[in-house]
Amino acid sequence: MEKLFVQTSTHPYFIYTEEDIRFSITELLPKNYSSYFIITDDVVAKLYLDDCLQNFSQDQQVAHSIIPHGEQTKSVDTYYQLLTDALSYGLDRQSLIIALGGGVVGDIAGFVAATFMRGVDYIQMPTTILAHDSSVGGKVAINHELGKNLIGSFYPPKAVIYDTATLTTLAAREVRSGYAELMKEALIRDESFFHDLLGTSLAALTNDQLVSHLQSGMAIKAEIVEADERESGIRKHLNLGHTLGHALEAELGYGKLTHGEAVAIGMLFALRVSEKLFSINLPYDELYNWLEQNHYPLTLKRLNPDLLLRKMKSDKKSVHNKVHMVLVKQIGQIQDVEVPDQDLALLLDTFLRELVIE
Amino acid sequence: MEKLFVQTSTHPYFIYTEEDIRFSITELLPKNYSSYFIITDDVVAKLYLDDCLQNFSQDQQVAHSIIPHGEQTKSVDTYYQLLTDALSYGLDRQSLIIALGGGVVGDIAGFVAATFMRGVDYIQMPTTILAHDSSVGGKVAINHELGKNLIGSFYPPKAVIYDTATLTTLAAREVRSGYAELMKEALIRDESFFHDLLGTSLAALTNDQLVSHLQSGMAIKAEIVEADERESGIRKHLNLGHTLGHALEAELGYGKLTHGEAVAIGMLFALRVSEKLFSINLPYDELYNWLEQNHYPLTLKRLNPDLLLRKMKSDKKSVHNKVHMVLVKQIGQIQDVEVPDQDLALLLDTFLRELVIE
């Protein structure tokens, strides 16, 4: 079993990665809990909820709630309903919440754990490749009507239990979405990982490749969040591609593009802006071609750049109403830059023109 | 100026206490912020909002929101509206939230600060005696329909700025409410403070007495929260009187009794239970007489003990659906005890009979 150690400001935890590990949950928990509350979505529930429930004996108190899948479910209404469920099931401060699912489930279940009776323990059981990113590092959140992840906390899990068998049921789109974040981690930190990914065909992905890529990605993520848990410095680098990515998701309506697909376009934009602002050459074309070969959606309907810009300004990284973008000086060397509105509008306009069809 | 130091797990902060200190806010802040967002209620706004706004110059970005006063406002709806306000006003991660008001404002504004963009700085400016307690220690929360403070975080402020001039406008009821928590702190930690309070007539309270009592109370509170920020041990002692107190508030409807009035009855109950369970004598009568002389409401309409008991079980201190009560062995010596349902039902029944009229 692969085991990755993460130190946080409050406690250490492990990321366990192995096939079929979903049948060994209780062995990997740090202690016994008064009760267990599994939060999952309707898609994952059909596939893996029964497997998870098998971990518990009859005398253990185990409850579950199934929320609709998709980004729309990360709302204040679902959040409040889950708190009501937790109270109705008799959860107390010695209970454990189990987030079984992708990033949406992990984010909202983590925020429930962070704020239920001022915080109870929780573990992440990611069932998507994308969630390798969100499940590590303790960022939990729900969406506000005015933007994504605007309500949340830093609240690390007590363990991440990653069953790679659950990744075999993913649709191609979900694989693409997850690999965009792996590509981001490579761009931020590790040139050889970047080239390794460029040489990978997602359609012909082997399990060994996948596990190796996840380990590389999570190691990068863990190293960064250990150094800067609350995102006052280098953790911001993990937002590469996310400024435009989040704005695209919000502007198109959550769910039109997957998160990773939006981030992929955002990364292309970040590379383009980096090339212009730093007057350098970056592997934009290599990344573009790889994304294209792997069927990432790289064309967009006509969008209003002003509206996109406004969304980018409501990004959490904005300060004094100025957009801050994570830019690339070279692979593995990242800089957080305030981009003046006028420059940004121009760069965005040109970039969108390259991608937009109609 | 009185200055009390508090060390938290994330940062240190000061509690500043002085008359008219509301005109010197900016000097006491740890740094400059990109913008300021004052959250207050309709009662406090009329008295002190303009004074607070005077602290800022024209080129500083300052916004405010006024929420209805009273416990009912500590709801998820008000919380979400405040987040919407914060976003509409253009708050970012470098902004400061200022909680100007009593415990309700402090709790909800603090929870907004804890979760807005995963946490921004905030300060507490308490305007009630009661809030000497809630403003120190970083407990922030909103209510759930099923119970008080069930949604929240531990999130310490960056400063507490306590203007004693604002306490001169308090109604007698509010003074009583605040003194119940001072009495609680005395019972937990300091016998001479307890006797000092027993010798105090609230109707004839001097400003010097008030400041001295607040300093004693906050010093006890600060010492306890420094030792146990997340309430895994001795911080639980601060819940003396709160198990029944919270249940009474919930059962009667928030606002029927002030928080302190409910806690006062809860403390009497805790003393009674302590006497029975430990077979000891405690100054129940002294406390009862002092409360009576100072016009605390000590009679209740007929209540259903079963419903009260159910409310006590949904208390955050409950584990495995068993009620835990903070009990007194002697003044300054406290114990957290699981009280079996049957005993509790009996004790509660007898106690209510003593207080209930009709």
Side-chain angles (χ1 to χ4, degrees):
Chain A
M1 182 168 57
E2 299 286 347
K3 202 169 150 184
L4 205 62
F5 179 81
V6 186
Q7 181 61 53
T8 77
S9 63
T10 46
H11 62 272
Y13 66 91
F14 282 104
I15 305 167
Y16 304 97
T17 311
E18 197 180 51
E19 219 173 323
D20 292 331
I21 202 176
R22 68 187 180 284
F23 298 105
S24 318
I25 300 172
T26 47
E27 297 155 39
L28 303 174
L29 296 181
K31 63 170 187 174
N32 283 319
Y33 290 91
S34 65
S35 64
Y36 302 83
F37 178 33
I38 302 173
I39 297 175
T40 189
D41 72 29
D42 52 352
V43 173
V44 176
K46 280 183 202 135
L47 296 166
Y48 305 116
L49 179 57
D50 285 343
D51 294 351
C52 280
L53 289 171
Q54 276 187 38
N55 286 275
F56 301 96
S57 62
Q58 283 226 314
D59 59 331
Q60 284 174 304
Q61 201 190 322
V62 186
H64 66 265
S65 288
I66 299 172
I67 59 179
H69 68 279
E71 191 71 33
Q72 294 85 344
T73 216
K74 248 173 74 176
S75 66
V76 73
D77 292 337
T78 311
Y79 165 68
Y80 194 78
Q81 182 57 49
L82 287 170
L83 291 164
T84 306
D85 292 352
L87 290 167
S88 312
Y89 294 144
L91 253 71
D92 60 40
R93 284 182 164 175
Q94 302 304 320
S95 301
L96 180 77
I97 291 178
I98 299 174
L100 173 68
V104 166
V105 166
D107 280 4
I108 193 168
F111 190 52
V112 168
T115 56
F116 180 73
M117 296 189 178
R118 296 203 182 88
V120 296
D121 285 0
Y122 78 112
I123 62 165
Q124 294 276 12
M125 292 189 60
T127 58
T128 64
I129 298 172
L130 183 64
H132 86 273
D133 179 46
S134 54
S135 65
V136 177
K139 274 193 181 182
V140 296
I142 57 174
N143 299 328
H144 189 280
E145 289 153 85
L146 297 176
K148 219 179 138 170
N149 293 332
L150 290 177
I151 310 172
S153 306
F154 291 99
Y155 196 75
K158 290 288 173 173
V160 178
I161 299 180
Y162 209 164
D163 185 340
T164 50
T166 66
L167 306 178
T168 58
T169 46
L170 289 176
R173 247 191 129 192
E174 296 298 327
V175 175
R176 278 199 293 275
S177 186
Y179 264 79
E181 292 282 4
L182 288 167
M183 195 54 102
K184 178 200 76 179
E185 283 144 3
L187 275 170
I188 292 173
R189 269 292 163 101
D190 187 340
E191 187 162 7
S192 82
F193 182 29
F194 177 66
H195 289 293
D196 184 6
L197 289 175
L198 285 184
T200 304
S201 162
L202 297 187
L205 194 65
T206 67
N207 190 61
D208 284 353
Q209 277 180 310
L210 174 59
V211 171
S212 151
H213 295 155
L214 287 176
Q215 288 294 318
S216 300
M218 292 194 296
I220 292 170
K221 176 78 187 257
E223 188 193 326
I224 290 176
V225 300
E226 279 185 352
D228 175 26
E229 188 171 305
R230 294 196 154 253
E231 197 166 329
S232 48
I234 65 159
R235 184 164 182 170
K236 290 183 188 157
H237 298 174
L238 290 167
N239 290 308
L240 178 66
H242 283 61
T243 311
L244 179 58
H246 280 162
L248 282 172
E249 283 182 277
E251 196 53 32
L252 294 170
Y254 296 128
K256 287 281 171 18
L257 289 178
T258 64
H259 177 65
E261 286 166 351
V263 168
I265 295 174
M267 281 194 285
L268 287 174
F269 182 55
L271 290 181
R272 203 48 114 199
V273 174
S274 305
E275 288 186 330
K276 299 286 181 201
L277 291 194
F278 302 139
S279 304
I280 53 173
N281 279 318
L282 291 167
Y284 180 96
D285 291 337
E286 287 87 332
L287 179 59
Y288 187 95
N289 291 338
W290 182 83
L291 292 170
E292 196 174 41
Q293 282 155 18
N294 287 287
H295 310 292
Y296 282 77
L298 297 175
T299 54
L300 294 168
K301 283 187 319 179
R302 192 172 300 279
L303 288 168
N304 183 335
D306 289 346
L307 289 179
L308 267 184
L309 206 62
R310 203 175 307 163
K311 293 275 185 211
M312 290 169 84
K313 284 194 172 196
S314 73
D315 186 269
K316 289 189 294 303
K317 287 187 304 304
S318 292
V319 178
H320 283 297
N321 206 25
K322 297 287 176 213
V323 174
H324 281 235
M325 277 187 74
V326 177
L327 298 181
V328 180
K329 297 211 87 160
Q330 64 182 57
I331 298 177
Q333 202 189 322
I334 300 297
Q335 203 170 320
D336 182 39
V337 176
E338 179 182 314
V339 186
D341 288 4
Q342 250 183 321
D343 298 3
L344 191 62
L346 209 66
L347 288 159
L348 189 61
D349 199 52
T350 314
F351 178 73
L352 288 176
R353 235 182 277 275
E354 287 183 43
L355 295 195
V356 165
I357 50 158
E358 199 185 30
Chain B
M1 183 167 56
E2 299 286 348
K3 204 170 149 184
L4 204 63
F5 179 80
V6 186
Q7 181 62 52
T8 77
S9 64
T10 47
H11 63 273
Y13 66 90
F14 283 105
I15 304 167
Y16 303 97
T17 311
E18 199 179 50
E19 219 172 324
D20 291 333
I21 203 176
R22 69 187 180 283
F23 297 106
S24 317
I25 301 172
T26 47
E27 296 155 38
L28 303 173
L29 296 180
K31 63 170 188 173
N32 284 317
Y33 290 91
S34 65
S35 62
Y36 301 83
F37 179 32
I38 302 173
I39 298 175
T40 189
D41 70 31
D42 51 354
V43 173
V44 176
K46 280 184 203 133
L47 296 166
Y48 305 115
L49 179 57
D50 284 344
D51 295 350
C52 280
L53 290 170
Q54 277 187 38
N55 285 276
F56 301 97
S57 62
Q58 283 227 314
D59 59 330
Q60 285 175 302
Q61 202 189 321
V62 186
H64 66 265
S65 288
I66 299 172
I67 60 178
H69 69 278
E71 191 72 33
Q72 293 85 345
T73 215
K74 249 173 74 176
S75 66
V76 73
D77 291 338
T78 311
Y79 165 68
Y80 195 78
Q81 182 56 50
L82 287 170
L83 291 164
T84 306
D85 292 352
L87 290 167
S88 311
Y89 294 144
L91 253 70
D92 60 40
R93 285 180 163 178
Q94 302 304 319
S95 301
L96 180 77
I97 291 178
I98 299 174
L100 174 67
V104 166
V105 165
D107 280 4
I108 194 169
F111 190 53
V112 169
T115 55
F116 180 72
M117 296 188 177
R118 296 202 184 88
V120 295
D121 286 0
Y122 78 112
I123 61 166
Q124 294 276 12
M125 291 189 62
T127 58
T128 64
I129 298 173
L130 183 64
H132 86 273
D133 179 46
S134 55
S135 65
V136 177
K139 275 194 179 181
V140 296
I142 56 174
N143 299 328
H144 189 280
E145 289 153 85
L146 297 176
K148 217 178 140 172
N149 294 331
L150 291 176
I151 311 172
S153 305
F154 291 97
Y155 195 74
K158 291 288 174 173
V160 178
I161 298 179
Y162 208 165
D163 186 340
T164 50
T166 65
L167 307 177
T168 58
T169 46
L170 289 177
R173 248 192 128 193
E174 296 298 327
V175 174
R176 278 198 292 274
S177 187
Y179 264 79
E181 292 282 4
L182 287 167
M183 197 52 103
K184 177 200 76 180
E185 284 144 2
L187 274 171
I188 292 173
R189 268 295 163 100
D190 188 341
E191 187 163 5
S192 79
F193 183 29
F194 178 65
H195 289 294
D196 185 5
L197 290 175
L198 283 185
T200 303
S201 161
L202 297 188
L205 194 65
T206 67
N207 190 61
D208 283 354
Q209 278 180 309
L210 173 60
V211 171
S212 152
H213 296 155
L214 287 175
Q215 288 294 318
S216 299
M218 291 195 296
I220 292 170
K221 176 78 187 255
E223 188 194 325
I224 291 176
V225 301
E226 278 186 352
D228 176 27
E229 187 171 308
R230 294 194 155 255
E231 196 167 328
S232 47
I234 64 159
R235 185 165 182 170
K236 289 182 188 158
H237 299 174
L238 290 167
N239 290 308
L240 178 65
H242 283 62
T243 311
L244 178 59
H246 280 162
L248 283 173
E249 284 183 277
E251 195 52 32
L252 295 169
Y254 295 127
K256 287 281 170 26
L257 290 179
T258 63
H259 177 64
E261 287 166 349
V263 168
I265 296 173
M267 280 193 287
L268 287 175
F269 182 55
L271 289 182
R272 203 49 113 198
V273 174
S274 304
E275 288 185 330
K276 300 283 181 203
L277 292 194
F278 301 141
S279 304
I280 53 173
N281 279 317
L282 290 167
Y284 179 95
D285 292 337
E286 286 89 331
L287 179 60
Y288 186 94
N289 292 338
W290 182 84
L291 292 170
E292 198 175 38
Q293 281 154 20
N294 288 286
H295 309 292
Y296 282 77
L298 297 176
T299 52
L300 293 169
K301 282 188 318 179
R302 193 172 299 281
L303 288 167
N304 183 335
D306 289 347
L307 290 178
L308 267 183
L309 206 64
R310 204 176 304 163
K311 293 278 184 207
M312 290 169 85
K313 285 194 173 198
S314 75
D315 187 270
K316 291 188 293 304
K317 288 185 304 303
S318 294
V319 178
H320 281 298
N321 206 27
K322 297 286 177 216
V323 174
H324 282 235
M325 277 187 75
V326 177
L327 299 181
V328 180
K329 298 210 85 159
Q330 63 181 59
I331 297 177
Q333 202 187 324
I334 301 296
Q335 202 170 320
D336 182 38
V337 176
E338 180 182 313
V339 186
D341 287 4
Q342 251 182 318
D343 298 0
L344 192 62
L346 209 64
L347 289 159
L348 189 61
D349 200 50
T350 314
F351 179 73
L352 288 176
R353 236 182 276 274
E354 288 182 45
L355 296 196
V356 165
I357 48 160
E358 199 184 31

